[in-house]
Amino acid sequence: MFDGITRRVVSMWFPRLPSDRVLRASPVDAPFALTLKQNNTERLYCLNRRAEALGLSRGMPFSDARAFCPDLLSQPADPRGDARFLAALARWATRYCPWVGPEGEDGLVLDITGAAHLLGGESGLLADMRRRMARAGLGLQLGLADSRGAAWALAHHGEGVAEPGDPLAALGGLPVAALRLPQDTVTGLQRLGLRRISDLAVAPRAPLARRFGQAVLLRLDQALGAQPEAITPMAEPPHYAVRLTLPEPIGLVGDVMAGTARLLERLCDRLKERETGARLLCLTLRRIDQSNQQVELRLASAMRHATRILPLFERGVSGIEAGFGIDQMRLEAVQVEPLPVQQISSVTDNSKQQLDDLITRIGTRIGLENVQRFLPADSHIPERGFLVAPAAYARPEGPWHAPRPRPVRLFPPEPIAGAGPRPPRRLRWRRMTLDTARATGPERIAPEWWLEDDAWRSGVRDYWQVDTRQGRRLWLFYTPQNPGWFVQGEFA
């Protein structure tokens, strides 16, 4: 109590937050569970009500759950997505009070002291929370008390409200696990006959402290309001944006670039303080007629060096329409990535930075997604041995490992005439008659039976490297199970 006002705390617990989040987008009328791999075992991470009603529980191996419930629908869990969703709920909860903090991975705690009357009192505030969460498709349990510990206990072990100044009356009948104690401590207290909070509150404190330490008494005092417990609100995400208001309108490209340089210096200093780099920058130019012109710059890698970024803006700035003049400029890093500080030496290789700058320059013309690179893939099938990915969003993955030579050019198999398991001495391909000078092989490649591929239904293939007298070096294969010859590639 301070200044004659009793502190009041609300605990919001979302018992099925991960599954509720997923089912909001795609509801199902069946048992549903999210799975997460733990210690090389796929286990149930969160379930909906129908799955819980069938006896399934969190932590159960997924194989056992499917044996109990063959109709169980599942989907991989996304803990990071759940954390972002909880952060969004915390921002939404500031409509009730300005002091909102996280409570574990599936709850929020709100200090509503002096704010409940804005929604018709405490009962009106709790009713509004339940109504809005039910409409959003989220399960919710609420606890209201004078302390954070008491509110948590009521939300998790008997949803209810503790009257001001008398938390023990509401908490006395709850189990000692409601005090947020470790499971081994709860088990030890139960063996002593201390099963409820009321039993623990009247027990001698000195023996408890000697046997279980001060943590038990601290949790009890926090729940009863004898010890304060702070509520730490979620920190606001950093905002990377700078603004420049001009005393006189400008319109020349050189003047706009000069203003952009000043904004970049300030923005890059802010990025450097937090060891982050920008991947997407947006320059907004406000004209004196209150209309806006925007220049968007996508970078091939995270950057925070103003001297490197500034020339990349020239193409976009040169295409703006200044109208009667620009009186305000705003630069924002819309997308950022971690960029730790690196040691700089005299032998630092700048080739990677130059390549990223080149990709960015080309990407501003044709789009970053159209600048692509090849990456090795874990497959022995020739056409699946590589991936094509945007160069700006993929890093080179070391040297390529090829136990046998592979052609530079691959194309869909083209049939040719031939008989027998050895390459034909003369072949007709693409209106050319070629004579075989040397044939190296065979290299037998079996299909990946676990993947569906119509092109490999003919079974194994025996590949040959054929050098022709006309200078062509072809990659041929023979299908023993369905006899036939095909050309699939050409060496350089």
Side-chain angles (χ1 to χ4, degrees), residues 77-95:
D78 181 14
R80 292 186 178 180
D82 300 334
R84 292 192 296 269
F85 186 65
L86 185 64
L89 287 175
R91 291 192 295 271
W92 168 84
T94 55
R95 71 188 313 276

Side-chain angles (χ1 to χ4, degrees), residues 454-469:
D454 294 337
W456 281 80
R457 291 188 180 277
S458 58
V460 298
R461 297 177 179 179
D462 291 336
Y463 280 87
W464 293 78
Q465 180 180 341
V466 175
D467 298 338
T468 65
R469 298 185 186 278

Side-chain angles (χ1 to χ4, degrees), residues 59-329:
M60 176 184 292
F62 180 60
S63 57
D64 295 348
R66 288 299 299 269
F68 280 111
C69 180
D71 298 332
L72 179 66
L73 303 179
S74 65
Q75 184 174 322
D78 181 14
R80 292 186 178 180
D82 300 334
R84 292 192 296 269
F85 186 65
L86 185 64
L89 287 175
R91 291 192 295 271
W92 168 84
T94 55
R95 71 188 313 276
Y96 297 107
C97 65
W99 212 250
V100 181
E103 191 73 88
E105 298 178 351
D106 54 3
L108 299 173
V109 56
L110 296 76
D111 190 338
I112 63 167
T113 305
H117 68 280
L118 299 175
L119 287 134
E122 294 178 350
S123 59
L125 183 144
L126 297 180
D128 186 74
M129 287 181 176
R130 292 190 181 95
R131 183 174 59 255
R132 292 180 181 273
M133 290 296 98
R135 189 164 50 195
L138 299 176
L140 176 65
Q141 291 185 209
L142 295 171
L144 174 61
D146 296 347
S147 65
R148 179 177 180 177
W152 187 94
L154 291 171
H156 288 72
H157 298 270
E159 187 176 15
V161 177
E163 295 299 326
D166 190 15
L168 187 58
L171 301 179
L174 300 182
V176 292
L179 295 177
R180 298 172 292 172
L181 297 173
Q183 184 57 43
D184 56 346
T185 303
V186 172
T187 303
L189 291 171
Q190 291 175 345
R191 288 174 179 173
L192 295 178
L194 304 175
R195 300 181 178 277
R196 302 190 180 279
I197 295 179
S198 58
D199 301 332
L200 190 63
V202 298
R205 298 174 67 91
L208 289 174
R210 285 196 299 268
R211 181 158 185 170
F212 298 102
Q214 294 293 331
V216 173
L217 299 179
L218 176 62
R219 287 301 192 188
L220 177 62
D221 290 341
Q222 287 175 342
L224 299 181
Q227 287 286 345
E229 188 174 5
I231 298 175
T232 304
M234 285 185 174
E236 288 293 328
H239 185 59
Y240 300 102
V242 289
R243 181 178 298 175
L244 177 63
T245 302
L246 304 169
E248 294 291 338
I250 61 175
L252 298 178
V253 173
D255 295 338
V256 176
M257 291 297 294
T260 305
R262 294 181 59 181
L263 293 174
L264 271 174
E265 291 178 358
R266 292 162 52 191
L267 179 63
C268 290
D269 289 342
R270 190 174 301 179
L271 292 170
K272 188 175 182 180
E273 290 176 0
R274 296 185 175 271
E275 295 191 9
T276 56
R279 284 297 298 265
L280 176 59
L281 293 167
C282 183
L283 176 65
T284 303
L285 307 173
R286 191 186 71 179
R287 304 193 306 193
I288 59 176
D289 60 358
Q290 302 302 311
S291 63
N292 292 329
Q293 294 276 309
Q294 287 190 337
V295 178
E296 189 176 88
L297 178 63
R298 295 179 179 272
L299 302 174
S301 64
M303 297 184 191
R304 60 165 177 257
H305 298 288
T307 54
R308 289 179 56 197
I309 299 176
L310 181 61
L312 304 176
F313 269 107
E314 290 180 356
R315 177 178 173 81
V317 170
S318 61
I320 63 171
E321 294 289 341
F324 293 102
I326 297 169
D327 60 359
Q328 188 180 90
M329 304 174 62

Side-chain angles (χ1 to χ4, degrees), residues 378-397:
D378 187 14
S379 177
H380 63 274
I381 302 298
E383 54 267 33
R384 294 181 187 160
F386 64 92
L387 299 173
V388 180
Y393 307 108
R395 298 290 94 185
E397 297 185 5

Side-chain angles (χ1 to χ4, degrees), residues 423-427 434-439 466-470:
R425 294 182 177 274
R426 175 170 291 188
L427 57 97
L434 305 174
D435 297 319
T436 301
R438 183 178 63 179
V466 175
D467 298 338
T468 65
R469 298 185 186 278
Q470 289 76 16

